[in-house]
Amino acid sequence: MCMWSSSLTPSKTLYSGSAEAVGSRKCKESTRELPGVIRPATGYQAPLLAEVYGIEGNIFRLKINEESPLKPRYEVPDVLTSKLSTVRLTSCSGDSGSLVLADGKGDLKCHITANPFKVDLVSEEEVVMSINSLGQLYFEHLQIRLKQRATKENEEDASVDTSQENQEDLGLWEEKFGKFVDVKVNGPASIGLDFSLHGFEHLYGIPQHAESHQLKNTGDGDAYRLYNLDVYGYKIHDKMGIYGSVPYLLAHKLGRTLGIFWLNASETLVEINTEPEVKYTLTQTGPAAAKQKVTSRTDVHWMSESGIIDVFLLTGPTPSDVFKQYSHLTGTQALPPLFSLGYHQCRWNYEDEQDVKAVDAGFDEHDIPYDVMWLDIEHTEGKRYFTWDKKRFPNPKRMQELLRSKKRKLVVISDPHIKVDLDYSVYAKAKEQGFFVRNHEGGDFEGVCWPGLSSYLDFTNPKVREWYSGLFAFSAYQGSTDILYVWNDMNEPSVFRGPELTMQKNAIHHGNWEHRELHNIYGFYHQMATAEGLIQRSKGKERPFVLTRSFFAGSQKYGAVWTGDNTAEWSYLKISIPMLLTLSVTGISFCGADVGGFIGNPDAELLVRWYQAGAYQPFFRGHATMDTKRREPWLFGEEHTRLIREAIRQRYTLLPYWYSLFYHAHVASEPVMRPLWIEFPDALEAFGVEDEYMLGSALLVHPVTEPKATVVDVFLPGSNEVWYDSKTFTRWEGACTVKIPVDLDTIPVFQRGGSVVPIKTTIGKSTGCMTDSPYGLRVALSTKGSAVGEFYLDDGHSFQYVHQKQFLHRKFSFCSGVLINSCADERGRYPSKCVVEQIFILGLKKKPSSVTTHSSGGEDQPVAFVYCAKTSTLSLEKLSLDIGADWEVHVK
């Protein structure tokens, strides 16, 4: 660790300014110090302490705080994993005004300059990132209000900050929002810092915004705002904050990927500015005296309302490395239960038990698989969560047993606001124990939400989370069973008559922290407590499923996220793709958008196209608000029912691939849904693509997002790649854009040459009905005639894959005419009755003379086959190869 405090002169506004550092370096073994103090023009002195840590995995951490603040400043807890290990940083060189620190390998260095204060991150002698090179370091110190200070007896402090009067004139100590007055007891406490990324012009991340995947310059408009808000029918192509915040961005260029994780839970703004830099080098020949080289530099300015500067620099160098580094800090995506990867049917609201029964039967009557029925707020008794409306849902256990008989599940809503009603046991017990957020006067905070007047549970308090988790116990939650799972909504938190429909910033949480300090992490704690409750009710045996609307960095550890209250318009279908890509690259792989649009009434064409897109996105749920027309999949005519059925069935066909992808997200931090630049980091033309994406490394998906489309332009990346149309098996060369004719039944999906995709060959009513159904393999050959793929299987619901290593992890490889099924992880053991009954090999250039199978200890067995010369496809049917055993298929 390196520590120093230095004399800085921060700017006087949040958006511009300069910072200088002076002082001498003092070394003590592994600690480096640069002592000094902040000296604003007023003369008020407030020393800053800065610390630099090296963290395993090529991560640097920079923290800046007041050395002796008036009271502790908020530092975000519970997000970082407990496994962080620091590495020793060694001093390489430096003089009285600078310091060079290197990690153990020596290929990454921090060059720290004292005057002016600046940090350069150097990799292989190239400066890839500079901190405070624009002088925008900003740190407002905590103060005692001038009026209070003046009343103190014997107060003769020459360092009184006379600029405080100017701050008060500007309204920085008291801000008004409508009828609300936000009093800042210790004055404005904002922080800010700039980062210059050299050679980078493609940045991604900082969700959640209904915006493009690639972050835009903000010079001519608003900054990106990170502030969790309930925004009904949010605007698209807008940088306003909506339901969740992940203060983490990635920068990518040819040969290097970086990440910046700004760990702060208060309202945050991010300004981005990319500018070209022209460099000249001498040429040896020709009339020109110099050769022009244009590079780019992108400046990122982070600004937060309060807290401290706590930033992690993820140095890559590859996209995969950055994903691992971020998950090392915040955790990986939780492995979801298998049922949750099926289709979910939701509406605000299914009216009663008979309605649920009829909708459930409708799926069976129309041969459409689905896994989960959802109930919104109307299922409760007057919006009192953990209760049931006795007239509408008099026998909830019987209703759940109906679903259980078809191996389906139920999800119910549980919001953080609790109806003010002393006869409501949840409210009475929480009030008695002081478990609600308090107002700034010390009483329980009360605001209006769905139940009317409500108080809000303080999930930042560990005791509240423990108590809330206990409410999900079967003995406490009457009418619940082990097939009931949970949906957390309205947890930004939403307060209908509050400023911007949320909680006042001066409300008080556990530890006497103001809400402003931790606003963006409130929903994170709600989902954490819910997930823990579902785990506890099973005595630690079963995986939870929890969907949350509000989220923060690290929310991936607790479940799934969706994009909130979208609208039934084509533009919202289109923007869902970049929104989900952004969530995916910032750690939240289990994400989706409401199919059909939550608000409004989609026509049949839009609904079909949305189902087709949703079937190839991680979280797949149809949902609609209460004032829309009913839109179950069979209500739009026989032809459209057929198309929706086919889209959902394609989802279930690919479940083995989906589950394997989520396993890799869980153990190796690889996003499930990937922008093209992740798989093709050297394909410059792929860096801005956001109308198509990869599922894992094998499938490219280009949803149709325009009405009455007859053709779509699909970019197939990779100069050495080949691609196969998943429907027609047509082979395409990579590194080109192809025009694909589309009808309403067309979903442009392409399998990458060199991949093996496992599928299910038989579709059941639900995922649980398909446990023992056979598998198929789609083998797509590369230009070299080879292919590889993986397959993961466990019981789909418990933690036995961790505790008892009960899982199968298999590897498929095709080379020199031999397809091999081998073990990818010897630690795992899991019995499976399933067999591979079908194999398609795409791109086989000539008809084989024979095909045989060979199992360990057995004789070669001939296999009947069909070869299509037109599509160069070999089909093997009616096989019976044990999915969990070693075997080979020889194609001669």
Side-chain angles (χ1 to χ4, degrees):
M1 181 178 73
C2 166
M3 299 179 62
W4 81 94
S5 57
S6 62
S7 150
L8 306 175
T9 306
S11 62
K12 304 305 292 181
T13 70
L14 194 59
Y15 294 94
S16 64
S18 62
E20 297 180 353
V22 298
S24 60
R25 180 169 57 89
K26 181 169 61 178
C27 300
K28 294 182 180 179
E29 298 180 14
S30 63
T31 301
R32 309 289 185 268
E33 298 182 354
L34 296 173
V37 294
I38 292 181
R39 294 189 182 89
T42 61
Y44 189 84
Q45 297 184 351
L48 283 185
L49 176 67
E51 304 166 274
V52 173
Y53 302 81
I55 297 175
E56 283 186 352
N58 293 334
I59 303 169
F60 285 97
R61 182 181 193 179
L62 170 65
K63 294 179 72 173
I64 301 177
N65 194 1
E66 294 184 58
E67 188 172 61
S68 301
L70 187 65
K71 62 182 182 181
R73 297 179 69 115
Y74 188 75
E75 298 186 38
V76 177
D78 302 315
V79 168
L80 299 177
T81 63
S82 58
K83 60 186 178 183
L84 295 187
S85 299
T86 58
V87 297
R88 183 181 179 87
L89 298 177
T90 58
S91 177
C92 300
S93 61
D95 53 35
S96 60
S98 67
L99 188 64
V100 179
L101 300 173
D103 64 1
K105 300 176 183 178
D107 53 353
L108 285 170
K109 297 177 182 177
C110 272
H111 290 227
I112 304 169
T113 304
N115 187 17
F117 171 65
K118 180 184 175 185
V119 179
D120 287 326
L121 181 64
V122 179
S123 174
E124 298 177 349
E125 307 307 317
E126 175 192 4
V127 178
V128 294
M129 182 190 303
S130 298
I131 300 175
N132 201 44
S133 61
L134 303 181
Q136 291 181 326
L137 171 64
Y138 187 81
F139 209 106
E140 291 185 302
H141 58 270
L142 302 179
Q143 304 173 65
I144 298 175
R145 196 162 190 171
L146 190 62
K147 297 174 183 177
Q148 295 173 322
R149 207 184 302 171
T151 61
K152 291 187 177 181
E153 294 182 2
N154 302 320
E155 185 74 41
E156 295 182 1
D157 186 355
S159 64
V160 168
D161 186 354
T162 56
S163 70
Q164 197 179 110
E165 295 177 358
N166 296 330
Q167 289 179 335
E168 295 204 34
D169 290 341
L170 292 171
L172 299 182
W173 282 70
E174 290 186 4
E175 293 187 69
K176 293 184 179 180
F177 188 95
K179 65 179 182 180
F180 299 98
V181 179
D182 178 19
V183 178
K184 301 173 185 179
V185 176
N186 296 114
S190 60
I191 58 173
L193 190 60
D194 63 88
F195 301 78
S196 295
L197 305 170
H198 301 285
F200 293 89
E201 57 181 300
H202 294 90
L203 273 64
Y204 315 93
I206 56 173
Q208 187 181 37
H209 305 92
E211 254 292 8
S212 60
H213 177 52
Q214 182 179 338
L215 298 175
K216 297 177 180 177
N217 278 8
T218 61
D220 296 330
D222 295 332
Y224 285 92
R225 188 187 190 200
L226 297 176
Y227 192 60
N228 298 355
L229 292 173
D230 176 1
V231 185
Y232 184 79
Y234 49 82
K235 295 179 182 179
I236 61 172
H237 301 297
D238 195 293
K239 299 178 182 66
M240 68 182 293
I242 48 178
Y243 309 100
S245 299
V246 181
Y248 163 50
L249 63 76
L250 302 90
H252 179 69
K253 65 178 181 179
L254 295 176
R256 169 72 69 167
T257 309
L258 296 174
I260 301 175
F261 175 35
W262 178 269
L263 184 53
N264 192 292
S266 68
E267 180 180 359
T268 296
L269 300 177
V270 184
E271 293 179 331
I272 297 171
N273 185 49
T274 301
E275 294 191 1
E277 291 181 327
V278 180
K279 297 182 180 179
Y280 296 92
T281 56
L282 295 176
T283 58
Q284 295 180 348
T285 58
K291 181 179 180 181
Q292 178 175 303
K293 180 181 180 182
V294 179
T295 63
S296 297
R297 187 193 77 228
T298 297
D299 300 317
V300 182
H301 185 198
W302 295 82
M303 299 159 280
S304 292
E305 181 178 1
S306 58
I308 69 167
I309 293 174
D310 190 1
V311 61
F312 296 81
L313 312 178
L314 315 182
T315 64
T318 69
S320 178
D321 291 330
V322 171
F323 296 140
K324 287 182 174 65
Q325 289 157 0
Y326 180 71
S327 68
H328 183 66
L329 298 174
T330 66
T332 63
Q333 175 68 58
L335 181 61
L338 180 60
F339 79 82
S340 64
L341 300 185
Y343 175 64
H344 301 246
Q345 183 66 31
C346 186
R347 179 176 178 82
W348 179 21
N349 202 89
Y350 285 117
E351 296 297 328
D352 51 30
E353 290 179 10
Q354 188 58 40
D355 197 8
V356 169
K357 184 178 180 180
V359 172
D360 177 74
F363 278 90
D364 296 337
E365 291 168 8
H366 294 89
D367 195 25
I368 301 173
Y370 94 103
D371 262 81
V372 192
M373 177 64 68
W374 289 55
L375 294 178
D376 211 315
I377 55 177
E378 310 301 333
H379 83 277
T380 63
E381 182 184 352
K383 284 77 172 180
R384 297 169 177 86
Y385 305 107
F386 303 97
T387 69
W388 303 86
D389 185 303
K390 294 181 178 60
K391 292 183 179 179
R392 294 180 174 190
F393 297 91
N395 197 334
K397 285 191 175 181
R398 181 179 61 191
M399 176 180 65
Q400 290 168 73
E401 290 309 311
L402 170 68
L403 296 173
R404 185 195 303 275
S405 69
K406 302 173 185 180
K407 301 186 185 300
R408 290 171 177 153
K409 317 295 181 187
L410 179 70
V411 165
V412 298
I413 199 166
S414 183
D415 292 349
H417 51 260
I418 304 298
K419 182 178 179 64
V420 174
D421 177 4
L422 286 173
D423 293 327
Y424 173 30
S425 64
V426 173
Y427 173 81
K429 292 176 181 177
K431 183 173 182 62
E432 179 184 0
Q433 298 178 79
F435 282 171
F436 291 122
V437 178
R438 291 173 287 129
N439 58 41
H440 65 279
E441 296 171 345
D444 289 344
F445 174 87
E446 293 181 348
V448 174
C449 207
W450 297 125
L453 193 63
S454 304
S455 288
Y456 289 72
L457 291 168
D458 185 4
F459 292 105
T460 68
N461 185 342
K463 291 183 178 179
V464 175
R465 296 199 298 272
E466 181 181 4
W467 173 80
Y468 185 79
S469 296
L471 297 180
F472 293 98
F474 300 124
S475 58
Y477 191 175
Q478 297 296 310
S480 68
T481 74
D482 61 356
I483 70 160
L484 180 146
Y485 295 86
V486 183
W487 164 25
N488 292 154
D489 198 5
M490 312 298 287
N491 52 351
E492 292 74 28
S494 178
V495 182
F496 288 164
R497 297 174 188 170
E500 297 189 273
L501 297 183
T502 193
M503 188 173 287
Q504 287 95 305
K505 289 183 175 181
N506 58 2
I508 304 299
H509 289 264
H510 173 68
N512 211 34
W513 295 110
E514 287 190 318
H515 184 71
R516 79 180 75 254
E517 307 280 358
L518 49 83
H519 172 85
N520 286 344
I521 205 171
Y522 182 84
F524 166 94
Y525 279 125
H526 185 203
Q527 188 187 26
M528 175 198 288
T530 305
E532 183 58 32
L534 297 186
I535 293 171
Q536 286 180 8
R537 75 176 186 183
S538 71
K539 297 179 170 56
K541 295 178 181 179
E542 298 295 314
R543 288 176 240 166
F545 170 75
V546 183
L547 178 74
T548 183
R549 190 170 73 177
S550 184
F551 56 88
F552 191 69
S555 288
Q556 66 270 11
K557 296 189 291 288
Y558 306 113
V561 163
W562 93 106
T563 61
D565 297 345
N566 57 1
T567 299
E569 298 174 7
W570 287 92
S571 57
Y572 282 82
L573 167 60
K574 191 170 187 176
I575 202 69
S576 70
I577 300 172
M579 291 179 74
L580 298 180
L581 289 174
T582 297
L583 285 168
S584 296
V585 301
T586 52
I588 301 176
S589 274
F590 202 5
C591 56
D594 284 341
V595 170
F598 177 67
I599 303 164
N601 297 297
D603 61 27
E605 182 191 9
L606 175 57
L607 188 64
V608 167
R609 290 301 191 197
W610 217 317
Y611 269 102
Q612 292 171 342
Y616 288 90
Q617 293 169 352
F619 177 60
F620 186 24
R621 181 183 75 157
H623 189 29
T625 188
M626 66 192 318
D627 59 358
T628 61
K629 298 176 184 178
R630 294 291 287 255
R631 62 166 85 143
E632 283 72 38
W634 51 88
L635 297 179
F636 290 78
E638 185 176 337
E639 177 61 15
H640 296 110
T641 298
R642 180 186 69 82
L643 295 172
I644 293 172
R645 177 193 302 117
E646 180 57 29
I648 295 175
R649 287 175 68 86
Q650 287 189 36
R651 170 60 165 234
Y652 280 77
T653 296
L654 283 170
L655 277 174
Y657 183 62
W658 279 107
Y659 200 53
S660 298
L661 290 180
F662 270 95
Y663 176 71
H664 281 284
H666 179 55
V667 300
S669 315
E670 300 172 358
V672 171
M673 182 178 175
R674 306 173 186 175
L676 298 189
W677 64 266
I678 292 177
E679 284 297 313
F680 302 94
D682 298 323
L684 186 61
E685 62 272 30
F687 292 4
V689 174
E690 62 176 31
D691 57 355
E692 61 187 49
Y693 52 90
M694 298 291 296
L695 285 183
S697 61
L699 296 181
L700 184 148
V701 184
H702 187 114
V704 179
T705 59
E706 298 290 343
K708 297 180 173 55
T710 59
V711 64
V712 294
D713 292 332
V714 178
F715 174 61
L716 300 175
S719 57
N720 296 316
E721 303 283 347
V722 292
W723 299 86
Y724 301 88
D725 187 304
S726 65
K727 184 177 181 180
T728 66
F729 302 147
T730 303
R731 183 180 186 272
W732 298 91
E733 299 291 334
C736 66
T737 299
V738 297
K739 291 188 177 296
I740 303 297
V742 293
D743 296 319
L744 193 53
D745 67 347
T746 306
I747 311 174
V749 179
F750 298 82
Q751 185 169 345
R752 186 180 185 178
S755 66
V756 180
V757 173
I759 63 171
K760 282 284 189 178
T761 59
T762 303
I763 306 303
K765 292 182 177 181
S766 64
T767 56
C769 294
M770 296 165 57
T771 300
D772 296 328
S773 64
Y775 290 93
L777 300 177
R778 293 177 181 170
V779 182
L781 301 185
S782 68
T783 55
K784 297 179 180 179
S786 61
V788 295
E790 294 187 20
F791 168 75
Y792 175 81
L793 178 67
D794 59 25
D795 65 19
H797 61 86
S798 79
F799 287 107
Q800 291 301 306
Y801 76 96
V802 176
H803 303 319
Q804 302 295 329
K805 303 300 178 186
Q806 292 185 8
F807 65 86
L808 278 180
H809 189 188
R810 307 296 297 180
K811 179 181 179 181
F812 304 112
S813 61
F814 185 92
C815 186
S816 301
V818 181
L819 175 64
I820 301 173
N821 177 10
S822 60
C823 183
D825 190 340
E826 295 286 353
R827 298 173 301 168
R829 294 287 185 274
Y830 183 70
S832 174
K833 301 175 183 178
C834 294
V835 297
V836 175
E837 71 166 11
Q838 178 191 89
I839 298 174
F840 290 154
I841 301 178
L842 313 181
L844 198 65
K845 294 183 178 179
K846 64 178 181 178
K847 181 179 180 179
S849 59
S850 67
V851 178
T852 59
T853 61
H854 176 79
S855 300
S856 178
E859 296 181 355
D860 289 0
Q861 299 292 327
V863 176
F865 63 89
V866 175
Y867 180 77
C868 177
K870 183 178 180 180
T871 59
S872 301
T873 302
L874 179 68
S875 301
L876 311 179
E877 306 274 1
K878 298 181 180 179
L879 303 170
S880 186
L881 300 170
D882 186 346
I883 190 70
D886 292 351
W887 45 257
E888 299 177 357
V889 176
H890 293 257
V891 180
K892 300 178 182 178

